[in-house]
Amino acid sequence: MKKLTILPFLTFALLSWKSTPADNWAFDEYHAKLRFSITHLMMAEVEGSFKIKESSITSNGKDFSDAVVTLVADAASVNTENEMRDKNLRAADCLDTDKFPTISFKSTSFVKKSDNEYTVTGPLTLHGVTKVVSLNAVARNGENPMNHAKMCGFKVTGKINRKDFGVSSSTPAALLGDEIDVVANVEYVKK
């Protein structure tokens, strides 16, 4: 008898349940940059950047816990403000941008650490090699004062090892550091 009284309630609950619609965020190409720095000759940091071609965030809820972020950068757009060095970076023995034209990341985990800090984990593909990396992200939410669009900005930081991705793997660390500091700053607009 109890099974018969619960069945209509469960049927009603399942039929009336609606999932929370996902929030979709598009990146603002004019406020997006992927930067890096690496030690040269064990002395100074050489800095550079890549142009971000596409990026998006899909989130559920009030914050970005369990969000999915994607980012694709143009490897050939590498810019260290030295054309000769940039040409060397695009070459086959370094980034080989003719063969591997993009750098991509897609999160598989987006875990909240504090009010606006997250740990973002997922596969990073660089130079045709894919490795799972964990990065730190700081989010800032707000509204565009001119058009009142909902916006958010992310600063994502982390370190990767160039040799893990086969980038200039025969170059000794005394000439070119193994660790690359990565910083991505991206603004998103809610669709």
Side-chain angles (χ1 to χ4, degrees), residues 15-186:
L15 291 175
S16 62
W17 178 76
K18 293 181 182 176
S19 64
T20 305
D23 288 334
N24 294 304
W25 301 80
F27 90 113
D28 176 350
E29 68 180 302
Y30 301 108
H31 297 98
K33 186 175 274 192
L34 176 59
R35 295 180 293 130
F36 67 90
S37 65
I38 189 166
T39 305
H40 178 250
L41 297 176
M42 297 174 46
M43 290 185 238
E45 297 288 312
V46 171
E47 298 177 338
S49 65
F50 296 97
K51 181 175 174 41
I52 296 174
K53 292 172 50 170
E54 53 189 81
S55 185
S56 65
I57 298 177
T58 302
S59 64
N60 292 306
K62 295 180 182 178
D63 63 24
F64 292 95
S65 295
D66 299 321
V68 175
V69 62
T70 62
L71 184 142
V72 177
D74 178 5
S77 72
V78 65
N79 182 359
T80 64
E81 297 182 9
N82 179 313
E83 188 53 45
M84 186 174 75
R85 179 173 45 226
D86 296 346
K87 184 178 177 183
N88 288 338
L89 289 172
R90 290 183 198 102
D93 63 339
C94 195
L95 293 173
D96 198 358
T97 59
D98 287 340
K99 189 173 180 182
F100 307 109
T102 60
I103 300 165
S104 63
F105 177 82
K106 182 175 182 179
S107 68
T108 55
S109 172
F110 213 108
V111 178
K112 189 170 189 170
K113 295 191 309 187
S114 68
D115 278 350
N116 66 338
E117 293 182 26
Y118 298 84
T119 298
V120 182
T121 303
L124 171 68
T125 302
L126 169 65
H127 191 241
V129 177
T130 302
K131 299 277 185 185
V132 174
V133 299
S134 288
L135 307 166
N136 299 307
V138 176
R140 294 180 183 93
N141 295 315
E143 184 178 282
N144 183 318
M146 294 174 278
N147 64 10
H148 305 289
K150 288 183 93 176
M151 298 181 68
C152 68
F154 278 91
K155 180 177 184 177
V156 180
T157 59
K159 294 180 184 294
I160 61 171
N161 187 309
R162 67 180 169 86
K163 289 183 177 178
D164 289 346
F165 293 90
V167 175
S168 298
S169 52
S170 64
T171 303
L175 294 178
L176 187 62
D178 290 341
E179 261 191 3
I180 301 172
D181 289 310
V182 178
V183 178
N185 279 296
V186 185

